[in-house]
Amino acid sequence: MAEAEEALRTLAHNVRAARRRAALSLDELGRRAKVSKGALVGLEKAQGNPNFATLVRLADTLGVSVSALLEGPAEGRVRVVTADAVMPLWTGVRGSEARLMLTTSGPAPVEVWRWRLEPGEEYPSHPHQAGVVETVSVTSGRMTLVVDGVEHPVETGQTATFDGDAPHTYRGDGTEPCHLVMTVHLPPRPASTA
């Protein structure tokens, strides 16, 4: 319980700081991210339990990675993250899950995700901000990637990439769970003015 409360406090701090850096009011952030002002007020007070889709919309609107909203300060030059140390950000009704393992630093960060898709289960994603590129590499099983309504089968050993600013869905296919590594390449951040 204490870990969850600490994570919520970190999220609250990071959302508030990113909103202020972007010079957005709560009303404007809510309008752009399609999140109610009440939910944002609660989130910035470390109250509530935002879902994965809300976190993605906030990150996209603020021009940061999802993990930039979730992570505390960096601890050193090398980070090693195990899957069991990271809580799933999405869990499907059949047991599918998505875990954000880490986000690289630098002007064009990359999110690294581990997904498990159960057969027949899918996750529809809203379009991301312009410049986001996603790559999925299937390590076992098979999936169907749907981009702009067009289905693309991706099997063990195959990798697909696409512009993330289009509607897209990940669906597990076959009879076994599909395991994949996804990278989300975020556009370069604007240079800060000092």
Side-chain angles (χ1 to χ4, degrees):
M1 182 71 105
E3 282 183 22
E5 291 171 359
E6 180 60 31
L8 194 53
R9 283 193 296 273
T10 298
L11 174 63
H13 173 268
N14 291 344
V15 168
R16 187 172 41 257
R19 180 178 62 79
R20 288 178 177 161
R21 278 192 308 275
L24 294 175
S25 67
L26 285 166
D27 287 324
E28 185 61 15
L29 176 58
R31 186 186 67 73
R32 291 183 187 183
K34 298 181 175 111
V35 176
S36 74
K37 181 179 178 181
L40 287 173
V41 168
L43 181 60
E44 289 194 6
K45 290 182 177 180
Q47 301 168 346
N49 186 18
N51 65 31
F52 177 50
T54 298
L55 292 177
V56 171
R57 285 195 310 273
L58 286 171
D60 281 348
T61 302
L62 293 167
V64 300
S65 67
V66 173
S67 63
L69 297 178
L70 298 171
E71 293 179 347
E75 297 177 10
R77 291 183 67 147
V78 175
R79 251 184 316 167
V80 177
V81 181
T82 60
D84 60 350
V86 180
M87 296 296 296
L89 288 179
W90 171 74
T91 305
V93 295
R94 295 183 184 173
S96 298
E97 64 179 29
R99 295 174 189 257
L100 176 57
M101 300 304 295
L102 60 84
T103 301
T104 63
S105 59
V110 176
E111 297 177 349
V112 179
W113 292 81
R114 292 179 74 164
W115 284 71
R116 183 181 74 231
L117 293 169
E118 294 296 327
E121 190 156 38
E122 65 181 33
Y123 178 81
S125 178
H126 76 284
H128 301 294
Q129 64 181 305
V132 171
V133 176
E134 292 193 21
T135 302
V136 293
S137 296
V138 175
T139 58
S140 69
R142 63 181 192 187
M143 67 172 290
T144 297
L145 172 65
V146 184
V147 179
D148 265 341
V150 178
E151 294 189 358
H152 306 272
V154 187
E155 299 185 14
T156 301
Q158 294 182 325
T159 299
T161 189
F162 62 97
D163 292 333
D165 60 354
H168 50 284
T169 299
Y170 322 105
R171 183 176 63 233
D173 281 333
T175 58
E176 301 295 322
C178 175
H179 295 267
L180 63 105
V181 175
M182 175 197 300
T183 56
V184 180
H185 302 260
L186 303 169
R189 296 179 184 135
S192 60
T193 55

